[in-house]
Each structure stands twice: as C-alpha cells, then as structure tokens.
Amino acid sequence: MEWEKRITEAKYTAPSGKELSFLFGSVSKETELKTGLFTFPDKDGAHVQHQGAGATSFPLTCIFNGSDCMEQADSFEALLFERGVGELQHPVYGIHKVVPHGKIKRVDDLLSGLNESVVEVTFVKIITDDIIPKLETVAAAEIEEKYEAFSDAACEDFARGVSAGTIDDELREKSVLNTQTEQIKSTMEPLISSRAGSYGDFLTTVAELKNAVNTMFDKSSNAVNKGLNTARFTLNLMRYPSRVVINVSEKIKGYSALIATLINQFKHDPFGARNIANAIMTARLSLSAAAASIASGVALQIAEGSAQKDTAAIQVSREEAIYAAEAIINLFELVKNFDDTKVKSNAFVDVNNETAFLLSDVVYKSAALIINSSFSLPMRRTIVLDRDRQLIELSAELYGSVDYMDELIFENKLTADEIIVLPMGKEITYYVKSA
C-alpha cells in the first residue's frame, strides 16, 4: 500500500513556496559520470580517469487534465520560471532539491475531447552540501584585458620565433602564411559578409596582412617589427568574425571548420629544422588566435545579450549558452593537443610558456562568463499548435507583441506557406524569460 501511495503522488514546490501536484507519464533518472578520457599518439586504446558522479536529472512528463487543464499547466509553467531552488516530490525516486533545466515542452490536447495539457520538463538535482563551489565572478571588461594580454604575447612569440636563413626559407614561409590567410578569409567570410562596416574592415585587414607577409623578410627594416605586423594583422583578421552579432552556434561552427582546416594545413611537417620551427610558430599563432577569438567573442556576445531587458534582443537561450561554453573549451583542447603533439614529435623547445598560459586564461575566463550569464538568459519553450494559427496572432500571444515575428520565423525555420498559416500540430519554439 505504501508503494501504491508513493507512485500516485508527484508534486513540485517552487522557490516561492507555491506548489502544484500533477499526474505523470513514464519516469526515468539520468546520472552523468565525470570521466577524463586521454589518448596517446604512440599507444592504442585510452586511459580513462573516473572522477565521480555528475548531474542527476529527472525528465518528467507532467499531465494536467479536466476543464481547467490549460490553467493548471499555465500555473505550473509559472512555477518553473521562478528563479532559485525548488523541491520535487518524485513519484518513484523520492524528494530532491532541484532546478528546472533545459527545454520546456507544452502540448495541449483539446480536440480529442480528453481536455489534457502536458508539460515536459527536466529537473536537475542540486548540490546540497554546506560548502557549495562558488561560480567565479568574471566581468566583460576582464575578458577584453585577457585577450589583449594574450594577443601581445602571441605576436611577440611569433615575431621572435620565425626566421629565414635562405631565400628558400623565405619563400616557403611566405607561401605558408599566404595559404593560411586565404583559408581564414574563405572560411570566415560567410560569417561577416552581411555586416557592411565589419566586412569592409575585414577585407582591408586581408589586404594589409598579405602586404605584411610579402615584405616580412625585407632587409630594409627590422625583421622583428615585420613579424609583429604580420602577427597583429593575423590576430585582427581572426578576431573580426568573432565580434559580429550573429547566431552563436553558426559562429562556433565556422571557427570549428577553420581550426580543422588549419590543422590539416600543418598536418605534415616540412623538411628541415628551420622550416619545422617556422611551421610550428605559424600554426600556433593562427590556431591560438582562433581559440582566443571564438572564446572571447562568444562570451562577450552572450554577456551583452543576458543584460538586455528586451527578449527580442537576446539570440541565445540558456541551453545554447551551456553548449557554447563546452564547445569553446573543446576547441581549445583540440588546439592544445595538436600543439603538444607537434612539439613532442619534433623535440621543439619553447623559450617560455607565457602565451599558452594566457590563452588558457582567456578561454576559461570566457567560459566562466558564459556560465554566469546563462542564468539571466531565457529558457527555450516548445508548444504544439492545437489548431491552425496566424503568425501575427501567435506572436502577440506568446510575446505580448507582434514585434517578434522575425524571431519566430528564424528560430523555427518557417517556410513561406507556414508564414501565411501555421498548421495544426506544428511545433513552435520560443524564449521565455525567468520570473
């Protein structure tokens, strides 16, 4: 009897103390394992380090029925939008302190006569120890300072690390740099081409970089200064696309493609110790510039978006921000592993590691800023239309304004026919600010 009583009750208590009971569908529990996976160039298999359990989540299908089902579901969603820690009385797994996480999906079944509204949500169990790790406080201005410090060190390393003793060395290095410039231009151009002012600056920097490369080994001026110019233009060229306000996922995808292209360019070492050293320094410059640019650019965009009071100005959801933080760290690790492998395989000795430390600082500070900012970002909600709808009418209902139609079209990739009439059964995603 105790078991029967337990599985018939499910209730959520919001941070405000308001509570609501609901019926439920099938239940499950998911626990992430914290593991580190390490592979080595000269060994098969992998070393796996077990670091304990991570987040425990409870995906739930919450059912409300009766003539007031929609009002009950509305009230439940309002509780989910409250900030802070709530309490879930799970029908199977007991009572836990939780926070709603990820996408909320709402389905209202009114036509079948069931009078049933369903809300799908995932609750994540929080740490309840007395000592809870504090999130690091990071300001946007600090990211800019970290990026500039990295940029100065990277330029200095490149200028002092690249040299040419013969005409062949000069021609090879110019060829490598010009190829790299074209790869950056062709991969980054689609991200920035729609932004008139930034695109003009981008193309100007391409021309300046090519000129700097072609005159880098001229005997008429200081070689270190010429190297500094080349490095600075390379960093500026890499930075422009990261600072335009476009879809964050597309921005990360573009830089991921560029990093893969650059790694492929330096996949095989050139012949000769001097050429190998030049190749490593050039690869390090472009790859670290890409990692620092995407990390800082995404962090600053998300931080600025999270500070906007107007939901229409925010292009990133809470879930997308978490994905972005993970993605930029993964790209950094990819760049770092490539550099480490090259250094090890060629017995290349660095004069100092300052640039590597500064790059790591930029990336992880940027990730911290993204995580901090994510708490102020809207949650993404998905509904299933219970009848044919007009886009203008739906925008007014969901956002309280018709000014958000473009966001609905872009987010849901609506076709021309759907813009005229949204069909019954269509899933529509939109963003809801936390209370």
Side-chain angles (χ1 to χ4, degrees):
M1 292 297 294
E2 179 63 28
W3 173 253
E4 291 178 1
K5 179 181 178 182
R6 184 184 181 195
I7 66 172
T8 57
E9 296 177 351
K11 182 168 65 176
Y12 175 65
T13 304
S16 64
K18 298 177 182 177
E19 58 184 38
L20 192 63
S21 298
F22 52 87
L23 301 176
F24 55 90
S26 58
V27 297
S28 63
K29 179 173 71 170
E30 299 174 358
T31 301
E32 297 178 4
L33 291 179
K34 294 186 293 184
T35 56
L37 185 66
F38 305 93
T39 58
F40 304 92
D42 55 345
K43 291 185 178 295
D44 294 335
H47 172 68
V48 182
Q49 184 181 45
H50 200 307
Q51 300 167 331
T56 297
S57 58
F58 306 98
L60 273 175
T61 300
C62 310
I63 303 169
F64 304 91
N65 52 31
S67 58
D68 63 341
C69 62
M70 294 188 68
E71 288 77 8
Q72 292 183 64
D74 289 340
S75 298
F76 182 60
E77 285 185 290
L79 300 186
L80 297 178
F81 296 151
E82 289 186 13
R83 295 184 184 181
V85 178
E87 182 178 273
L88 174 66
Q89 294 187 22
H90 197 281
V92 175
Y93 304 117
I95 299 174
H96 300 281
K97 296 294 184 181
V98 297
V99 172
H101 174 72
K103 183 167 66 174
I104 299 171
K105 182 175 179 179
R106 166 83 171 266
V107 180
D108 296 301
D109 186 1
L110 305 177
L111 297 181
S112 65
L114 294 177
N115 283 339
E116 183 174 275
S117 293
V118 175
V119 178
E120 296 179 7
V121 62
T122 297
F123 294 98
V124 177
K125 182 180 177 181
I126 68 162
I127 298 172
T128 55
D129 296 344
D130 292 335
I131 301 175
I132 298 177
K134 300 278 187 189
L135 288 175
E136 182 180 5
T137 301
V138 181
E142 186 180 356
I143 300 300
E144 292 285 22
E145 292 172 3
K146 298 291 183 185
Y147 178 86
E148 289 304 324
F150 153 76
S151 180
D152 290 342
C155 290
E156 186 76 19
D157 280 356
F158 176 80
R160 298 196 178 280
V162 173
S163 63
T166 67
I167 296 296
D168 285 343
D169 291 342
E170 293 180 12
L171 292 175
R172 181 185 292 275
E173 183 60 16
K174 287 180 180 180
S175 176
V176 167
L177 287 166
N178 281 320
T179 299
Q180 178 176 278
T181 301
E182 285 301 320
Q183 289 173 337
I184 298 171
K185 178 179 180 293
S186 61
T187 308
M188 296 287 95
E189 201 167 14
L191 297 182
I192 200 171
S193 58
S194 62
R195 308 286 170 165
S198 297
Y199 186 47
D201 293 339
F202 179 78
L203 294 180
T204 298
T205 303
V206 170
E208 290 172 331
L209 175 54
K210 288 182 177 179
N211 181 64
V213 168
N214 290 332
T215 60
M216 191 168 70
F217 297 109
D218 285 359
K219 308 302 182 199
S220 58
S221 60
N222 185 284
V224 172
N225 289 339
K226 288 290 186 181
L228 285 172
N229 287 338
T230 298
R232 181 65 65 187
F233 286 132
T234 300
L235 281 156
N236 287 345
L237 186 64
M238 196 74 79
R239 181 176 178 270
Y240 277 122
S242 73
R243 302 307 172 96
V244 297
V245 181
I246 58 174
N247 181 275
V248 165
S249 296
E250 288 301 312
K251 190 182 290 187
I252 292 173
K253 184 193 232 178
Y255 275 88
S256 298
L258 177 59
I259 287 173
T261 300
L262 292 172
I263 286 177
N264 189 60
Q265 178 187 356
F266 295 99
K267 183 177 180 180
H268 301 294
D269 293 322
F271 179 75
R274 182 68 262 161
N275 288 327
I276 288 175
N278 283 349
I280 289 177
M281 296 307 299
T282 306
R284 179 176 294 168
L285 173 71
S286 58
L287 289 169
S288 62
S293 294
I294 187 60
S296 59
V298 167
L300 292 171
Q301 179 177 334
I302 290 177
E304 183 178 358
S306 70
Q308 296 285 342
K309 297 186 185 301
D310 181 5
T311 307
I314 300 173
Q315 301 184 31
V316 183
S317 70
R318 197 174 299 175
E319 308 94 296
E320 290 168 328
I322 300 302
Y323 158 77
E326 294 175 351
I328 64 174
I329 290 175
N330 289 339
L331 287 176
F332 165 68
E333 291 295 332
L334 180 64
V335 169
K336 180 178 177 296
N337 290 340
F338 176 79
D339 187 65
D340 288 345
T341 300
K342 283 294 181 185
V343 169
K344 179 180 177 182
S345 63
N346 292 289
F348 184 83
V349 180
D350 288 314
V351 176
N352 63 71
N353 293 320
E354 183 183 9
T355 303
F357 288 128
L358 291 172
L359 173 61
S360 176
D361 205 20
V362 171
V363 172
Y364 283 100
K365 292 284 187 184
S366 296
L369 179 59
I370 292 172
I371 298 299
N372 291 348
S373 301
S374 70
F375 293 104
S376 298
L377 291 171
M379 291 187 287
R380 187 164 54 186
R381 178 184 170 189
T382 301
I383 60 171
V384 179
L385 299 182
D386 60 348
R387 64 183 187 280
D388 290 351
R389 302 291 296 270
Q390 297 288 331
L391 181 61
I392 188 170
E393 167 213 358
L394 186 62
S395 176
E397 177 184 316
L398 298 180
Y399 287 110
S401 170
V402 298
D403 297 334
Y404 298 80
M405 292 171 56
D406 289 343
E407 282 71 21
L408 285 172
I409 292 170
F410 176 79
E411 177 64 31
N412 295 281
K413 298 181 174 59
L414 300 181
T415 65
D417 290 339
E418 288 173 333
I419 291 173
I420 298 172
V421 177
L422 292 165
M424 182 179 70
K426 173 75 176 178
E427 287 195 356
I428 296 294
T429 296
Y430 68 105
Y431 296 120
V432 182
K433 267 288 206 181
S434 300

